[in-house]
Amino acid sequence: MAKFMITGGKKLEGSVRVTGAKNSVLPILAAALLTTKEIVLKDCPDLADIEKVIGILRAVGSKVKREGSTLIVDPSTITTWVIPDKFVKEIRSSIIFLGAMIARLGKAKVTYPGGCEIGQRPINLHLEGLKKLGIEVNDSYGYIECYAPAPMGAEIHLDYPSVGATENIILAATAAHGYTIIRNAAKEPEIGDLQNFINAIGGKVCGAGTSTIIVEGKRPMRGATHTIIPDRIVAGTYLTAAAITGGEVLIENVILDHIYPVVAKLRESGAIIKSVGSAVLIKGRDRPLPIYHTTTLPYPGFPTDMQAPLMSLLSVSSGTSVMVETIFENRFKHVPELIRMGANIRIDGKTAVVQGVDSLRGTTVTSHDLRGGAALVLAGLRAEGQTIVENTYHIERGYECLECKLRSLGAEIEKI
Ligand code: UD1
């Protein structure tokens, strides 16, 4: 198992470019199945999660080729309506193929994705939404089988603005007769990217970024070239890396609006952040200030994916901060690891109280999930001495060569 070995204490300096958003690439690769014509996707990072989704496309009979950061998909052939179990177990966002396969074939079969490192992650909202479109959903022995002889547009109110459910319903609705209206839809920027992609191939979706999305179904689809939006969580992670080391870094390829909730919090911690065209310049304080209160919320609230990285920063701040995690029930697994490094954090249910300490000490810690793993790397950049972060594969799911990019900013980090 690979590990990161980090010698802390270096202030990060220089510039780094943010890659395309993993959470956009995943649903857009599924959406490629809505057409039979060639799709070219630009700025797709080389990540384990994306490779797994490419594996699904290949397993169902489509062709995918990578040329640098460009993916070329030939979705003209589909040979099965069953998404192989092994992929669903490896990457739970493969559930998004349900909507895409229903739209393309009128049927789909997938095993229940189940929970993961950060929580139970039910899919009731996905399935209830699909049923409203007239899709027959059968639950049989751990499998979900969907049949859609003639899906009909419908008005769907989501009890919670789930990102995945919104995406799945949009995908299935492209094949429904008439219009589908999704109310209380998720507003995350990745949904806007999915909308733009579907419209580029001939679909008609509007409203992404608001809580009401309208999809016109049954439109003829074509091929297209589409560039993926920058990854707001990767951008937020580099911003926090600069802030925790008191460094000065230019983060390139950023949409400021998308990362504003993170920028606002980092400014509260005393970092100076300026927008420079499509880049953001950050200068961190030697000792971050505490942040009185942060609550994770659906977009445009503070993202749950940035909770762990921000907690590393708070752990070396000059006072007490409170962090409330409202999205996922099991997303504090980095906390015991930060405590091993000398952090002073108490958890009570969904709330973490972080009493900033003067310094963290390097030790061996284990990454239990993607963003928690990134948080431990950030803590290692600040800590005295050497930190070893085990299980880098979690981190590699979402960050393209994190160690190379941090090294280019002056960090001492090796993968061993
Ligand atoms: C997506 C992101 C993930 C991010 C999350 C929240 C991808 C591939 N992943 O995950 O990185 O952390 O949004 O911003 O884009 N829920 C239900 N029933 C459902 C669906 C969801 O109760 O049918 C609950 C979940 O358990 C969770 C909350 O809704 O508590 C939010 O989940 P959701 O927005 O669906 O997240 P994902 O799409 O899985």
Side-chain angles (χ1 to χ4, degrees):
M1 292 260 192
K3 306 167 185 185
F4 285 137
M5 196 169 73
I6 306 160
T7 306
K10 297 274 180 326
K11 289 187 179 208
L12 298 190
E13 276 173 8
S15 64
V16 64
R17 184 184 179 277
V18 173
T19 47
K22 166 181 87 82
N23 287 351
S24 272
V25 180
L26 302 182
I28 288 176
L29 277 176
L33 294 181
L34 301 180
T35 179
T36 53
K37 303 290 188 301
E38 184 177 89
I39 297 299
V40 178
L41 294 180
K42 294 190 170 172
D43 217 356
C44 300
D46 188 5
L47 297 173
D49 272 11
I50 291 179
E51 280 311 304
K52 283 171 191 156
V53 171
I54 292 172
I56 297 178
L57 279 172
R58 288 182 178 141
V60 300
S62 298
K63 296 184 193 75
V64 187
K65 196 165 66 176
R66 184 182 270 282
E67 287 176 3
S69 63
T70 300
L71 293 178
I72 301 152
V73 186
D74 169 3
S76 56
T77 46
I78 296 199
T79 49
T80 174
W81 62 295
V82 183
I83 301 158
D85 288 9
K86 87 172 181 106
F87 292 108
V88 185
K89 284 180 184 137
E90 282 178 357
I91 174 162
R92 69 170 308 293
S93 51
S94 50
I95 190 71
I96 207 70
F97 275 85
L98 214 48
M101 301 264 284
I102 291 166
R104 174 73 179 266
L105 298 174
K107 57 184 182 173
K109 182 175 174 183
V110 64
T111 189
Y112 252 103
C116 73
E117 297 87 7
I118 59 173
Q120 287 184 20
R121 309 194 78 172
I123 53 165
N124 57 313
L125 299 171
H126 299 238
L127 301 184
E128 283 160 19
L130 297 178
K131 283 181 194 163
K132 289 253 166 62
L133 295 174
I135 296 162
E136 191 186 319
V137 179
N138 296 323
D139 238 330
S140 70
Y141 305 106
Y143 285 89
I144 307 159
E145 290 183 3
C146 295
Y147 299 93
M152 292 294 293
E155 234 176 295
I156 298 168
H157 181 273
L158 292 177
D159 283 342
Y160 185 91
S162 152
V163 176
T166 303
E167 293 169 343
N168 234 338
I169 296 166
I170 291 175
L171 290 170
T174 62
H177 284 278
Y179 291 87
T180 296
I181 302 172
I182 309 169
R183 299 195 192 278
N184 197 26
K187 299 181 199 158
E188 270 68 2
E190 293 75 23
I191 291 177
D193 209 15
L194 177 64
Q195 166 178 292
N196 291 342
F197 172 77
I198 294 175
N199 291 345
I201 60 171
K204 204 163 181 191
V205 183
C206 64
T210 76
S211 56
T212 305
I213 293 178
I214 302 173
V215 184
E216 184 187 330
K218 290 263 168 211
R219 290 179 58 93
M221 300 291 194
R222 53 178 182 254
T225 296
H226 177 82
T227 302
I228 301 294
I229 57 168
D231 195 313
R232 64 197 165 98
I233 306 302
V234 169
T237 305
Y238 287 125
L239 281 168
T240 314
I244 199 171
T245 63
E248 185 167 348
V249 175
L250 184 74
I251 324 266
E252 294 171 317
N253 192 35
V254 169
I255 298 175
L256 186 64
D257 264 7
H258 294 177
I259 57 163
Y260 205 81
V262 177
V263 166
K265 285 292 154 190
L266 291 176
R267 282 184 174 147
E268 268 183 71
S269 83
I272 297 167
I273 301 176
K274 286 186 202 150
S275 166
V276 189
S278 62
V280 171
L281 181 68
I282 177 164
K283 184 166 175 13
R285 271 173 70 92
D286 281 345
R287 178 107 193 247
L289 300 171
I291 301 175
Y292 174 62
H293 195 272
T294 307
T295 302
T296 63
L297 286 170
Y299 189 85
F302 184 81
T304 172
D305 286 0
M306 281 302 300
Q307 177 257 108
L310 188 69
M311 187 142 4
S312 292
L313 180 82
L314 300 178
S315 70
V316 291
S317 76
S318 53
T320 308
S321 312
V322 174
M323 171 73 82
V324 184
E325 170 59 61
T326 70
I327 313 283
F328 292 111
E329 66 276 17
N330 206 1
R331 218 169 191 181
F332 282 145
K333 285 189 177 165
H334 49 286
V335 170
E337 306 298 321
L338 287 174
I339 292 173
R340 285 169 61 79
M341 297 177 75
N344 181 350
I345 305 171
R346 272 174 299 127
I347 296 177
D348 185 4
K350 296 177 170 182
T351 304
V353 179
V354 188
Q355 177 65 56
V357 293
D358 292 341
S359 60
L360 296 172
R361 284 182 313 276
T363 185
T364 299
V365 287
T366 305
S367 139
H368 296 287
D369 60 71
L370 165 57
R371 307 302 173 188
L376 297 177
V377 171
L378 301 196
L381 295 176
R382 171 83 186 202
E384 288 171 6
Q386 199 171 70
T387 301
I388 293 187
V389 181
E390 296 182 323
N391 292 352
T392 59
Y393 64 89
H394 284 298
I395 300 168
E396 285 154 3
R397 284 184 41 218
Y399 297 88
E400 190 181 61
C401 205
L402 182 62
E403 72 279 16
C404 317
K405 301 210 172 140
L406 291 175
R407 238 184 350 252
S408 77
L409 296 173
E412 260 189 64
I413 174 169
E414 293 293 331
K415 185 166 153 185
I416 50 171

